[in-house]
Amino acid sequence: MPEKNVMLAPAFNICRMPLCGRTYEYYSEDPYLNSQLAIQSVKGIQSQHVAACIKHFAANNQELDRDSVNTIVDERALQEIYFPAFKAAVQQGNAYTVMSAYNKLNGYWCSENGYLLNKVLKGDWGFKGVVMSDWAGTHHTVAAANNGLDIEMGSSGPYDQWYLAKPLLAAVKAGEVSVKTIDDKVGRILWLMYHTSMSTNHPKGAIATPEHTKAAYDIASESIVLLKNDKQLLPLKTSEIKRIAVIGDNAVRTFALGGYGAGVKAKQEVTALEGIKSRFGKTADIRFAQSYRASYLASKTAEQNGDYNEPDQDLINEAVALAKSSDVAILCIGSNREYESEAHDRKSLELPFGEQALVNAVSAVNPNTVIVVMAGAPFDLNEIKKSNHAIVWSWFNGSEAGNALADVLKGTINPSGKLPFTFPASLNDSPAFNLNTYPGDNLTAEYKEGILVGYRWYDTKNIVPLFPFGYGLSYTDFSISKLSTDKSSYKKDETIHAKFTIKNTGERSGAEVVQLYVNDPVCSVQRPEKELKAFKKVFLKAGEKRR
């Protein structure tokens, strides 16, 4: 069986606006958090002698018109917001390959953008590896060859006719592309082969081992975010619960595959219903109601998908009857991998499939309704936040998703996840929409917000979000005190060392993600109200403290 030596991941474009169809796949709106995650992802992939392909370079922040839009981004925003994770993945992660984005950046296609590929990536950052195009993302022969593209991928028609096939040979013979340029590309491809297919001591592969299952479970359980728990409904008190209603199509849906791109052929995936049955089934009677039809396919047109947002009253009535006769209703809503997909953006922040009507109906008959949202991007939860006591954000959480969720609901796991991007209270609060820069005029999207992306915008403009970046509750409480730095003043390029004491002041063991932000009050240019510069997850037993 032939080996696959390049993994087309990680993708970590900045979450500039909440409707982007690939937010579920990306990491964060913050360049520092993005960088830290990118470095570790690249190192993990390449530890197996497989090349990571970091993508999509650069400023690919929307799916709508992605293969034709020209993004206009100033130098400072590129250097402070859109480049850091790529730079870190190259210089600290030693990424072997980079994929150019579909869009144009400041007037030039990313696959033939000399500033992007030759000056910044290969020049300033010293990237030694291969730049490949996205599939069918190459547009010209000479411009691509001279401006830094090394491999053309996925173009249409016979290979001989591709831009970097026979036309490139002709361009070399005509003197339009130098032999030195070709030598550089060949050297890069050989360097990539040397580190992958030609390398010795390949680690022995393994699929779906118990170790993998444990890793998937640990990651899922630590990533779940508790958004609201004002009546202390969670964790569920098993001794008092005899009947549980599990409601919603997402309770029985899997999320490894769907839509376009980023699918995983998982051997198994534990659904929410399966997890809840395995954790509560011995002590409670568990019943299921589908409650809505998730009738939406990424491959269909808007007309073909029709009125997918319409509530199904018959299904809602069944759910209400079940909720009425149960001690607790666990309502699994959100989106799915068809609704959030590569190649298209969402039209709005509203919950799909008539879910809001379902939530209202079920909550009205059972005050002990726990809302569980499975989604990879922000949604409008304003009404739910006002009217529901417990909200859990559970993501598309991998092959152990159901078990991790059930253990959080039960209290075996104390939730410690934090939001990696801001949930706006309204779409117009988001900078790209507030400044009317999405999807762009005449296929030109000017990033007028500059460096004020994500929480930098909300904090600086004093806009209160629905849920802020870095937010997430716990079943216990933490206090932070005695924050100090090692000196009272610093010279240029000196490192500031900060110390503090964190204490678990509650009655349960748990983890807190401590986040350190800085602000620059005296500066000749505009700076955000605050910027993330460090974070650390600290596990503490009840009553324990640590310096």
Side-chain angles (χ1 to χ4, degrees), residues 264-525:
V264 180
K265 298 181 181 78
K267 191 172 181 182
Q268 62 175 51
E269 185 177 331
V270 180
T271 65
L273 181 61
E274 289 165 346
I276 291 163
K277 281 182 171 173
S278 79
R279 299 316 197 245
F280 294 93
K282 287 192 175 73
T283 55
D285 177 26
I286 297 163
R287 309 255 173 121
F288 169 71
Q290 188 192 345
S291 76
Y292 67 87
R293 287 188 209 289
S295 53
Y296 184 98
L297 288 174
S299 56
K300 289 187 173 179
T301 63
E303 289 73 31
Q304 288 168 327
N305 277 314
D307 55 357
Y308 65 87
N309 272 338
E310 279 303 303
D312 186 317
Q313 200 54 51
D314 290 341
L315 289 181
I316 290 179
N317 293 343
E318 279 172 33
V320 166
L322 183 60
K324 225 183 232 178
S325 62
S326 302
D327 301 317
V328 171
I330 300 170
L331 189 42
C332 298
I333 58 167
S335 71
N336 57 45
R337 286 288 314 284
E338 292 292 334
Y339 193 67
E340 289 183 57
S341 166
E342 180 182 346
H344 65 83
D345 291 335
R346 288 180 291 145
K347 299 280 189 291
S348 78
L349 287 177
E350 75 173 292
L351 289 161
F353 316 130
E355 289 172 353
Q356 189 63 60
L358 167 69
V359 172
N360 296 348
V362 170
S363 305
V365 299
N366 192 329
N368 297 331
T369 296
V370 178
I371 306 295
V372 177
V373 190
M374 284 99 157
F379 276 87
D380 178 356
L381 304 181
N382 281 287
E383 224 178 309
I384 288 175
K385 187 182 176 187
K386 280 195 200 91
S387 59
N388 289 87
H389 304 306
I391 310 169
V392 176
W393 190 270
S394 181
W395 309 104
F396 302 144
N397 221 355
S399 53
E400 284 291 303
N403 288 333
L405 171 64
D407 281 341
V408 165
L409 298 177
K410 195 173 182 177
T412 312
I413 294 285
N414 188 347
S416 60
K418 305 288 177 187
L419 295 178
F421 35 66
T422 306
F423 279 45
S426 134
L427 194 53
N428 204 46
D429 289 346
S430 162
F433 289 88
N434 189 283
L435 300 172
N436 197 26
T437 64
Y438 170 85
D441 287 330
N442 298 318
L443 296 177
T444 301
E446 188 180 350
Y447 287 24
K448 291 177 187 168
E449 72 279 6
I451 58 160
L452 297 184
V453 175
Y455 68 84
R456 286 164 164 76
W457 166 268
Y458 294 89
D459 291 348
T460 307
K461 302 286 184 185
N462 292 314
I463 298 168
V464 179
L466 179 68
F467 295 109
F469 171 87
Y471 174 85
L473 304 174
S474 168
Y475 296 150
T476 188
D477 294 301
F478 299 91
S479 71
I480 291 175
S481 60
K482 299 179 184 157
L483 176 69
S484 65
T485 54
D486 50 344
K487 294 192 288 193
S488 58
S489 68
Y490 298 86
K491 296 191 186 74
K492 189 175 161 66
D493 295 329
E494 278 191 302
T495 299
I496 301 170
H497 294 273
K499 281 187 179 169
F500 58 90
T501 298
I502 177 166
K503 182 177 182 183
N504 182 342
T505 58
E507 292 165 10
R508 288 174 172 270
S509 298
E512 179 63 305
V513 181
V514 184
Q515 302 159 45
L516 179 69
Y517 295 83
V518 304
N519 133 301
D520 188 354
V522 183
C523 191
S524 59
V525 294

Side-chain angles (χ1 to χ4, degrees), residues 54-71:
I54 57 174
K55 63 187 192 179
H56 310 86
F57 193 55
N60 169 201
N61 308 101
Q62 64 191 63
E63 290 299 281
L64 185 61
D65 303 325
R66 66 176 180 173
D67 51 5
S68 49
V69 70
N70 179 21
T71 57

